[in-house]
């Protein structure tokens, strides 16, 4: 029997990262869940272990070179990296605090670069190496009051394409998933602050509902798996069609002439 492929997921203590770790483990990979939040990470890993999945944990802060390098060095083997850790804040652009800007860049964009860089020596030795980065609707839309988040997530697209072009030649596929609105703690915080309006979002999304974490995990499973063996440098939108919708009238009106 061959050894299972090994995956590392950042920001895996909750939300999309946790759902992705679960899915990859269910696919038969050995998954290392990492997060900066030790308590939450331990609880989540215990749950997956209880479900009989082959998982391990490591505390890893994606903003910290030493933390990232030490964790990746300790692995010995790696086939899949999912750069999922992310943070968001909401402030009018004219009031943005420089430290907060730097922090969000360091997590959302710098973290992806840092983990990918540290993973390279391991991935280059794998015969099925794949990276998936988490983009966002903020990679397509300008998101008011989320200047640093939207800028970083747009940067993820450039980072993904550049690494795909450079490392594809080393046998490492690099792609991104751009989730729409998925019910996780990050999105729910937008309802709490009033930055997101549930009804408007549902109306704007052609499929008329929010996404589920498992649907993002499924896309990541595809992109990191053998069925995507010739897919490199794409940004796969998993967003119910919100970023392609050009509806600018009220479709609930019954007079078809209005369409
Ligand atoms: N939920 C959505 O609707 C949505 C939409 C588009 C994109 N995304 C992206 O998907 C990813 C996951 O989002 P989510 O909704 O699950 O978020 P979340 O807030 O629920 O979880 C994020 C996780 O990242 C961890 N984290 C934060 N800073 C870290 C650091 N410095 N080092 C390591 N871990 C850190 C947190 O502890 C947390 O466990 C993010 O990159 C986010 O931008 C989410």
């Amino acid at each position: 029997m061959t050894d299972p492929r090994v995956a590392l997921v950042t920001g895996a203590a909750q939300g999309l990262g946790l759902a992705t770790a679960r899915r990859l483990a269910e696919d038969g990979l050995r998954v290392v869940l990492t997060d900066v939040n030790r308590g939450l990470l331990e609880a989540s890993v215990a749950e997956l272990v209880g479900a009989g999945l082959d998982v391990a944990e490591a505390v890893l802060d994606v903003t910290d070179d030493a933390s990232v390098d030490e964790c990746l060095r300790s692995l010995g083997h790696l086939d899949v990296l999912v750069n999922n850790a992310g943070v968001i804040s909401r402030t009018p652009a004219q009031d943005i605090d420089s430290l907060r800007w730097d922090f969000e860049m360091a997590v959302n964009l710098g973290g992806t670069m840092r983990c990918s860089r540290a993973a390279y020596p391991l991935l280059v030795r794998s015969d099925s190496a794949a990276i998936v980065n988490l983009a966002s609707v903020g990679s397509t839309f300008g998101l008011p009051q989320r200047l640093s988040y939207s800028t970083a997530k747009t940067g993820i697209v450039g980072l993904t394409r550049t690494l795909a072009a450079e490392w594809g030649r080393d046998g490492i596929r690099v792609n991104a998933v751009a989730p729409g609105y998925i019910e996780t703690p990050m999105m729910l915080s937008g309802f709490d602050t009033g930055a997101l309006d549930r009804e408007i979002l549902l109306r704007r999304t052609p499929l008329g509902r929010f996404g589920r974490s498992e649907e993002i995990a499924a896309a990541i499973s595809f992109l990191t798996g053998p069925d995507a063996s010739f897919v490199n440098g794409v940004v796969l939108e998993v967003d119910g069609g919100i970023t392609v919708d050009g509806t600018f009238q009220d479709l609930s009106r019954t007079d078809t002439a209005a369409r």
Side-chain angles (χ1 to χ4, degrees):
M1 217 171 88
T2 53
D3 287 337
R5 295 172 79 215
V6 177
L8 185 144
V9 183
T10 68
Q14 65 176 16
L16 303 185
L18 177 56
T20 299
R22 180 189 292 273
R23 171 61 195 258
L24 295 180
E26 287 169 352
D27 287 346
L29 281 77
R30 168 147 228 272
V31 183
V32 183
L33 287 85
T34 68
D35 204 285
V36 73
N37 185 333
R38 180 187 295 273
L40 201 56
L41 179 66
E42 286 174 354
S44 297
V45 170
E47 200 184 306
L48 297 192
V49 169
L53 295 170
D54 183 10
V55 296
E57 72 195 52
V59 174
L60 182 160
D61 179 349
V62 300
T63 66
D64 179 0
D65 278 359
S67 168
V68 170
D69 292 346
E70 188 189 327
C71 178
L72 269 294
R73 243 196 330 264
S74 73
L75 290 184
H77 183 83
L78 188 70
D79 303 288
V80 170
L81 170 67
V82 181
N83 285 307
N84 165 82
V87 290
I88 194 167
S89 66
R90 299 169 176 93
T91 322
Q94 62 273 26
D95 298 334
I96 200 155
D97 175 79
S98 296
L99 288 178
R100 182 70 207 184
W101 165 273
D102 289 347
F103 175 67
E104 282 187 46
M105 285 296 161
V107 178
N108 296 329
L109 190 52
T112 300
M113 176 280 292
R114 217 168 271 114
C115 293
S116 301
R117 182 180 63 193
Y120 176 84
L122 296 174
L123 292 175
V124 82
R125 297 204 308 264
S126 161
D127 58 10
S128 59
I131 296 176
V132 171
N133 301 322
L134 269 289
S136 161
V137 292
S139 311
T140 300
F141 294 145
L143 297 177
Q145 304 203 341
R146 278 148 290 177
L147 182 66
S148 47
Y149 181 80
S150 222
T151 305
K153 290 297 183 180
T154 305
I156 289 291
V157 175
L159 186 151
T160 299
R161 290 180 179 147
T162 305
L163 291 186
E166 191 169 339
W167 292 355
R169 290 173 166 79
D170 296 326
I172 304 171
R173 296 184 300 104
V174 186
N175 294 291
V177 164
Y181 289 91
I182 318 294
E183 290 201 73
T184 66
M186 181 182 279
M187 190 187 82
L188 295 173
S189 71
F191 293 143
D192 296 342
T193 61
L196 295 177
D197 182 290
R198 184 178 282 272
E199 295 314 314
I200 294 176
L201 273 179
L202 289 175
R203 222 179 305 130
R204 276 295 313 271
T205 305
L207 290 187
R209 64 171 176 84
F210 297 125
R212 295 186 298 275
S213 299
E214 295 73 27
E215 293 174 308
I216 303 306
I220 295 172
S221 165
F222 163 69
L223 284 174
T224 56
D227 285 345
S229 50
F230 202 52
V231 182
N232 188 31
V234 307
V235 179
L236 177 58
E237 280 92 6
V238 186
D239 64 5
I242 193 169
T243 53
V244 298
D245 186 18
T247 303
F248 296 110
Q249 72 268 52
D250 183 0
L251 293 179
S252 64
R253 287 179 54 180
T254 48
D255 54 327
T256 47
R259 301 189 178 195

